[in-house]
Amino acid sequence: MLKLFRKVRKQLIAEKKFSNYLIYAIGEIFLVVIGILIALAIDNANDNRIKREKEQVYLKGLKEEFDISKIKLEELIKVNRKSYEAAQEIVLLMDKKSFPSEEKFSQLFATAFNYDIFFNPNNSLLNEMINSGSLKDISNDTLRIRLTNWISTIDDIANQEKMLGEERNNTVNIFRSEGYSIRTLLDNTGMSKEVGIPNNQNPVSNLGALESLAFENNILLFIITSQSTETEHYAPLMMSLNSILETINNELEQ
């Protein structure tokens, strides 16, 4: 009987040791799992921090680019408006049959048709991000879409500006082909002196152009295209630019 009791006691002690070992082993596994989870959390936190820092660098660069592009667009809108307003004044003179001085007409003509209207935004960083696939580093989905759309919008603007340039050239070519004098324009606007050409001693009057139907038709087409460029293209482009800048500013860390 005693032997049986001792045997049972040894068995219980053995079972107790195994139970303790099992608890210890489970505890060790739990600690290892916790350690792995903590390490992963730290790695993820570091990765997120690095991504956020990289994104902030991109956002600051994009803000600088779009700030400059906004200034360029504002100035371009002013130049375009000044051009078609000068063209409108020429048409009004044609309607009134009231010829201005040669110098006045030359100045209006130069203001209307001397300037190429071409928007050249600063897209160096944006193009680099798109080409390298770094646009994915922008976490704001709305901003990412707007930046992508910006490039395609610029292409549309370029097409419109090409049409406007053609209308400008058509008007100047009509003026030139009908026998009017570019030299007179240069003399009366001071451009002759700038390019080192003496004033013509026997100037040809250009005021007869104010009675040319072909000249008037081309000026009118130029005015329509210029105004369309402003209202249908530059104005929406400015709204898009402002939206992009607003979103960038909201994403930038203060």
Side-chain angles (χ1 to χ4, degrees), residues 1-210:
M1 186 72 177
L2 183 60
K3 288 181 179 181
L4 180 60
F5 174 76
R6 287 176 178 175
K7 185 178 180 181
V8 171
R9 188 178 65 177
K10 286 180 180 180
Q11 185 177 356
L12 290 172
I13 292 172
E15 289 177 355
K16 185 176 181 181
K17 286 183 178 179
F18 177 76
S19 177
N20 289 338
Y21 174 77
L22 184 61
I23 293 173
Y24 175 77
I26 291 173
E28 275 196 337
I29 293 172
F30 178 77
L31 290 175
V32 170
V33 170
I34 292 298
I36 292 173
L37 292 175
I38 292 174
L40 288 174
I42 292 173
D43 286 343
N44 287 335
N46 287 334
D47 288 343
N48 290 334
R49 177 181 56 79
I50 292 172
K51 288 180 181 178
R52 185 61 178 169
E53 289 175 352
K54 185 178 180 181
E55 181 184 25
Q56 288 293 303
V57 171
Y58 281 140
L59 289 171
K60 289 176 182 177
L62 288 171
K63 174 176 169 52
E64 291 179 4
E65 282 195 350
F66 278 92
D67 279 337
I68 294 173
S69 294
K70 182 176 180 178
I71 293 173
K72 287 184 175 182
L73 183 56
E74 287 172 340
E75 291 302 313
L76 189 61
I77 290 173
K78 291 178 183 178
V79 171
N80 183 58
R81 187 175 299 166
K82 189 175 181 181
S83 293
Y84 72 69
E85 285 177 349
Q88 287 173 324
E89 192 168 345
I90 291 175
V91 173
L92 290 175
L93 291 172
M94 299 174 85
D95 287 345
K96 293 178 180 179
K97 305 297 182 182
S98 174
F99 290 179
S101 66
E102 199 73 51
E103 182 178 356
K104 175 67 174 177
F105 176 65
S106 295
Q107 289 173 346
L108 287 174
F109 188 96
T111 301
F113 304 110
N114 265 12
Y115 304 101
D116 286 328
I117 305 299
F118 179 69
F119 181 47
N120 183 28
N122 282 35
N123 285 338
S124 299
L125 176 59
L126 178 56
N127 286 329
E128 179 185 331
M129 291 175 66
I130 292 174
N131 293 333
S132 65
S134 298
L135 198 59
K136 68 179 185 302
D137 294 321
I138 302 298
S139 58
N140 187 303
D141 294 338
T142 300
L143 177 57
R144 195 164 57 248
I145 292 171
R146 284 176 178 170
L147 291 173
T148 303
N149 291 340
W150 172 260
I151 298 299
S152 60
T153 302
I154 294 302
D155 292 338
D156 292 338
I157 294 294
N159 291 331
Q160 175 67 18
E161 290 170 337
K162 182 179 179 181
M163 291 176 57
L164 178 57
E166 290 172 354
E167 294 299 338
R168 175 182 291 101
N169 291 335
N170 289 341
T171 308
V172 174
N173 288 337
I174 283 291
F175 180 87
R176 183 166 48 193
S177 64
E178 291 197 354
Y180 298 107
S181 174
I182 299 296
R183 181 74 172 273
T184 300
L185 292 175
L186 296 177
D187 289 349
N188 283 284
T189 55
M191 294 184 192
S192 293
K193 184 176 181 181
E194 290 179 9
V195 297
I197 299 174
N199 285 1
N200 192 351
Q201 297 303 312
N202 298 300
V204 176
S205 175
N206 288 326
L207 297 181
L210 297 175

